[in-house]
Amino acid sequence: LSLCTASGPPGARRRVMVDALQGVWKLSTGADVSVSGEKVSINGRDKGTLKLKEGGWALEGWATKSDPAGGRLEWVMEGGSATLVWERQGGTKGSPKAGAANVPCNGGTTAGAGATAVPQAAEGVEGAAADGAEPTIEGEWLTPAGSPVMVKGTSVMLNGQEAGPLKDDGDSWLLGPWKVEKASVGAEAEWTNVNTGGKLAWRRPKEHISGGMLSEADQNAALTNVSLEDHYEAFVAERGEGKLRALLLDVDGVLNIAEGVGGTQLPGATKIEAEILKRLERIVASSADIGIILSTAWRTRMQLRIFLMGRLRVQDPLLAKRVVGETPQLVPASRASEVHAWVTENEGKWASWVAIDDADMSDLGPEIHAKHIVRTDPLVGMTEEDADRAIDLLAKVK
């Protein structure tokens, strides 16, 4: 409930709103959320206190105006750079009966309690299919929470996991209890839960970014920044090859905090912590010779790569321009083997290198690990101490 739908004096309205949030929720990254009073914990760890803000709730840099009676809360990061979704798990005294729908203050409709997550959208045609063209659901999509969906034939993969077979029902496609009309599919696919009437939309990656995660200008800049060759050539021309210092950068467990199953950040959870990003900015600002080499798995998924480049540009355009390369993609691969391959291939081109990562790279040997690796705790992300050590190693390593 929001302040515009709850009735009674302010104190009573607040109690009604708090009561509606009580219980267990599931975060779009897979983490368990528990609300007790106005206290929130994620995977058993305290995440702060809920605060009233502009007719909704705020929590540690995130805000929502969604109505919890619908069983689904969409949280938006300050600045609109990312979104996350809570789905109610089981019934609580604040939740409605299954199948109930609700119209929040903004006039939109939320899914009924118990609704399951739906597919998202892929790159492709903007708007409806062109005249004479057969509409298609195949390709890459993004859910409202930013999770990647891949549709190929009858296979639907959500966050790299099988989400069930896609069925052709003549004029529509079916995925579990969800249905989308073929004629409506273009840059967006709106799914309807046939049991509850709840709705969820998939968007093609570019559409998802422009739809609230990044402004159109930042989106276009992010798309142009996906190619790193121009960045590298400009960087070498300015600083001179042979004196450059490389920061091999991971994202999950470094620029964000793992909140998935078993302490592992789930694929496609487009989240970068603002405070941690400032630490990256401090490392890069410590020397004009430092260039960023992407070693993260995000480099292999276009929508995540675009989001990362756009987020860096929003922080500081210069920060995005310092991204000048990436490690090779090996099959089979480990982070250590890909880092080793990049170092071998670029020997003599860089004066020093440091990899900051939450992965175990002990296979590289104790000497390399001591001089070149800053390993982060995925449950904490890059700390100030990690940033200090990276700056120190980049300055000393030859």
Side-chain angles (χ1 to χ4, degrees), residues 29 45 47 62 77 82 84 249-260 263-280 296-298 304 307-308 311 356-358 376-383 386:
T29 60
R45 293 182 289 119
K47 280 296 180 179
W62 295 81
M77 183 186 288
L84 284 175
L249 181 66
D250 183 26
V251 174
D252 290 332
V254 176
L255 297 184
N256 59 30
I257 299 171
E259 292 178 345
T264 303
Q265 186 71 33
L266 298 180
T270 46
K271 184 176 72 168
I272 293 177
E273 302 286 349
E275 285 302 311
I276 299 180
L277 197 55
K278 292 177 183 177
R279 293 165 196 157
L280 173 64
T296 174
W298 283 36
L304 295 180
F307 177 78
L308 173 61
R311 187 67 183 84
I356 185 160
D357 208 302
D358 68 330
T376 64
D377 180 345
L379 297 178
V380 177
M382 178 169 59
T383 63
D386 292 331

Side-chain angles (χ1 to χ4, degrees), residues 123-292:
E123 296 186 62
V125 186
E126 294 190 12
D131 291 342
E134 190 71 24
T136 180
I137 196 72
E138 292 210 4
E140 289 185 310
W141 299 84
L142 291 175
T143 64
S147 299
V149 178
M150 173 60 74
V151 181
K152 188 173 183 180
T154 60
S155 173
V156 179
M157 303 294 289
L158 172 64
N159 274 335
Q161 303 294 319
E162 186 67 45
L166 183 73
K167 297 180 180 179
D168 191 322
D169 192 38
D171 293 334
S172 60
W173 284 293
L174 303 176
L175 182 61
W178 296 90
K179 177 179 180 179
V180 62
E181 299 295 332
K182 290 182 179 180
S184 69
V185 175
E188 183 172 301
E190 184 174 276
W191 294 79
T192 301
N193 189 306
V194 296
N195 295 327
T196 68
K199 295 182 183 296
L200 282 175
W202 290 356
R203 292 175 177 173
R204 300 290 182 183
K206 179 178 178 180
E207 292 298 310
H208 186 74
I209 290 173
S210 63
M213 299 179 88
L214 297 174
S215 68
E216 183 176 356
D218 289 327
Q219 168 200 340
N220 292 333
L223 290 169
T224 59
N225 283 343
V226 171
S227 175
L228 305 179
E229 292 180 6
D230 291 343
H231 285 196
Y232 177 75
E233 291 176 1
F235 191 49
V236 171
E238 178 185 346
R239 307 308 303 172
E241 194 171 71
K243 63 180 292 188
L244 308 179
R245 302 177 184 276
L247 178 66
L248 279 66
L249 181 66
D250 183 26
V251 174
D252 290 332
V254 176
L255 297 184
N256 59 30
I257 299 171
E259 292 178 345
V261 179
T264 303
Q265 186 71 33
L266 298 180
T270 46
K271 184 176 72 168
I272 293 177
E273 302 286 349
E275 285 302 311
I276 299 180
L277 197 55
K278 292 177 183 177
R279 293 165 196 157
L280 173 64
E281 191 173 17
R282 182 164 67 86
I283 295 173
V284 174
S286 69
S287 171
D289 295 328
I290 295 176
I292 298 172

Side-chain angles (χ1 to χ4, degrees), residues 243-249 289-291 293 295 327 335-336 338-344 346-357 361 364-365 367-374 389-390 392-398:
K243 63 180 292 188
L244 308 179
R245 302 177 184 276
L247 178 66
L248 279 66
L249 181 66
D289 295 328
I290 295 176
I293 305 297
S295 60
T327 56
R335 186 61 51 80
E338 291 178 337
V339 167
H340 181 267
W342 182 89
V343 171
T344 301
N346 289 275
E347 188 172 1
K349 295 181 180 179
W350 297 78
S352 66
W353 67 272
V354 167
I356 185 160
D357 208 302
M361 289 193 275
L364 296 175
E367 184 177 356
I368 289 181
H369 203 276
K371 293 182 177 181
H372 297 274
I373 308 299
V374 176
R389 183 160 182 262
D392 185 57
L393 291 178
L394 283 166
K396 292 179 179 178
V397 175
K398 299 295 182 183

Side-chain angles (χ1 to χ4, degrees), residues 5-25:
T5 58
S7 59
R13 293 203 301 267
R14 184 186 182 96
R15 287 193 295 274
V16 170
M17 292 173 67
V18 171
D19 189 60
L21 286 170
Q22 302 304 293
V24 179
W25 301 76

